[in-house]
Amino acid sequence: MANLSDEGATKDESMSSEDVVVVVDQLEKIYSGDVRAVDSISFNVERGEIFGFLGPNGAGKTTTISILTTQTLPTGGRAEVLGYDVVKEPGKVRRGIGLVPQELTVDDELTGRENMELQGSLYGVPYSDAKERIDELLDLVRLADSAARKVKTYSGGMKKRLELAEGLIHRPEVLFLDEPTLGLDIQTRTSMWEHINKLKKETNMTIFLTTHYLEEADALCDRIAIIDHGNVIALDTPGELKKAVGGDVIEIEVTDCDEDILEIINGVPGIALIDGTCAENKARIKVPDSGAALPKILTNFITRDIQVASVMVKKPSLDQAFLEFTGRELRDEESTAGNSKKEAGARKGRFRRRR
Amino acid sequence: MIRETIALIARDLKRWYRTPAQIILVFTTPLMWLLLFGQAFNIGRLAQIGDTMTDLRLVFGGATDYFSFMAIGQTAFIMLFASFFSGVSILWDRKFGFLSKLQVAPIPRAVIPLSRIASSLVKSMLQAAVVIVLAASFVLVPGLSGLRFSPSFGFADALGLALFLVLLGISLSALFVALGLIVRNEETLFGLINLLNFPLMFTSSALIPIALMPDWLRTIALYNPITFVVDGMRQLVFDTSVGAEYTVAVDLLGIGIFSALMIGLGALLARRALLRG
Ligand SMILES: Nc1ncnc2c1ncn2[C@@H]1O[C@H](COP(=O)(O)OP(=O)(O)O)[C@@H](O)[C@H]1O
Ligand SMILES: [Mg+2]
């Protein structure tokens, strides 16, 4: 048993099992033909956090979710959800979790409300609560006005929102969201983010989500695991992941200066340059913290009477983080463990939409 | 268990009766068969040409005309097709993700095939009833003959008729739903079902009298589960054992054994199909 007051204890050891909702330990899924969809990954998800799985298509996100939601058996390792082993006690896991799958599963021929009612029956929501809860959830996802319409008349975003509401009907302790905004336009995506953030704020639900949109992981997640080719290659808060990229970039342009401005900046007390280039009157430097460095530099320039023409600060993005960890740009990459033609087609369309 | 089963049956039925094309098919399919096969292509005349002295009831399982004979066979036929569609529907549910939703839900796995068998039964029994009503009402159309019930046909006979159809419906839908669960590819499923449907239908005495079959086919027909069903039903409807192959009790036993076998096989296949991969 780890000493709780020991500063050096790792997070996992110091946490009581109450706070860990998902335990994944060397989990592995090898499909026939030696496709390593998930290649020995380990991580924990803590109660109340939004935990993100970020990675390109084919990275193994859906496979991981489908193991955790008891649809697929792992070929190695162990996973627990809410304290229950996903292999040995699937029934108990199922009762406590909600899933909003990557593919739509709502029934087109039923109305929105009927879909919700069916879901309520499948999850044993007491009759006495069902109506109220359904109204509440339809309100939450702003489908109350369309609830009486058949789902086949819904837009893609509406279907996805209905799917989200379905996943919430039994008030699950953990909600799995597999690419919740895949294929949605920007507005709908932003509104989905609002729904998810609202959920977290109001219910303190634990959310495990996967995405291949960096902005999404950044906007929603408390912690992010970057996954690629079935491996978790980095796991941290969005902030720390960005920091690992190596700091902020500042571009300073001065109007007129005889001296080498890079030299001057380097000489400012308290400035630790990670990197720097200079062309004519423009210096491009990399520092750990632009917020602290910039005032110092500018004050120094003023005392030297150097006129500043423009300043630009670039915070590191998850794009850069992904590049840093995988050596590739996320948007250009298609992870290639498998070979589904349909997936490949969908991928192309998706990336075209993005840019 | 009961609540989710009922909810899923309701879902299947809503999908069915809300599709106008399905409802139109419920009436047009039997109408087409009854008219073309039963009225136009009248085996009764062929049988009469051969030997005018033959008691037609011996040929037509107790019926005095071919149309009455085949109308009863048509009810079995419709059970076969309705069950076949239920098998296909479950494959579509897999394709459109609905099945995976059920697999994640905290419900006993058995609910998945059982609810589909039950909804299939509701649909197929309704369609069989439509066949009987349509066939009987043909008598109202000038120039056509209708399905002629024995005057002594009563409530108990109707129950017996329903029992035969229910047993047939259960066995066929158990088989097809299990196939729909285990086969992942539409073409394969359609191929497989055709491979089963046509022989099952045309080696039985549903549409073709056993007396008119060549010997080898007769041997097969006598062991075809559909033969047991139509043989039993005809005795109930025409109230005679003239032209029957077995007693009603043996017919019931035959289809009963077939049901047990299909439920067993279906459970085995469905279990396998719903295991996690
Ligand atoms: N049922 C399966 N059989 C074989 N390979 C599969 C199967 N499902 C997924 N894969 C492969 O496993 C890899 C991971 O897929 P997936 O988990 O769906 O990735 P993601 O959700 O991150 O896009 C891919 O290479 C995919 O082709
Ligand atoms: Mg996926």
Side-chain angles (χ1 to χ4, degrees), chain A residues 29 70-73 86-87 90 94-95 99 104-105 107 109 114 119 121-123 125 127 166, chain B residues 3-4 7-8 11 14-15 18-19 96-98 100-107 109 276-277:
Chain A
K29 178 72 186 183
T70 75
Q71 300 175 77
T72 304
L73 288 175
V86 295
V87 176
R94 282 175 195 140
R95 260 188 288 278
L99 168 65
L104 291 170
T105 64
D107 193 321
E109 294 294 330
E114 284 170 339
Q119 188 79 0
S121 298
L122 292 177
Y123 281 84
V125 176
Y127 284 111
E166 283 196 357
Chain B
R3 181 177 172 195
E4 50 261 37
L8 285 173
R11 176 251 176 187
K14 278 178 192 162
R15 283 180 71 89
R18 284 184 187 167
T19 317
F96 294 113
F98 189 78
S100 67
K101 174 190 323 233
L102 297 184
Q103 284 180 286
V104 180
I107 56 173
R109 307 293 91 173
R276 289 182 279 169

Side-chain angles (χ1 to χ4, degrees), chain A residues 10-25 43-49 51 78-84 173-174 206 223:
Chain A
T10 68
K11 231 176 184 178
D12 298 351
E13 284 166 333
S14 66
M15 251 175 343
S16 79
S17 60
E18 267 291 280
D19 301 327
V20 182
V21 178
V22 178
V23 179
V24 171
D25 185 19
F43 61 88
N44 287 350
V45 179
E46 292 158 29
R47 189 170 294 278
E49 76 172 330
F51 184 91
R78 186 179 66 91
E80 271 178 23
V81 175
L82 297 166
Y84 301 114
E173 285 185 66
V174 201
T206 309
R223 286 193 305 148

Side-chain angles (χ1 to χ4, degrees), chain A residues 61-62 102 178-179:
Chain A
K61 304 183 295 296
T62 299
Q102 184 174 336
D178 197 359
E179 311 242 15

Side-chain angles (χ1 to χ4, degrees), chain B residues 215-229:
Chain B
D215 282 344
W216 62 270
L217 189 55
R218 187 173 307 160
T219 316
I220 298 173
L222 283 175
Y223 293 101
N224 184 320
I226 292 180
T227 300
F228 288 100
V229 172

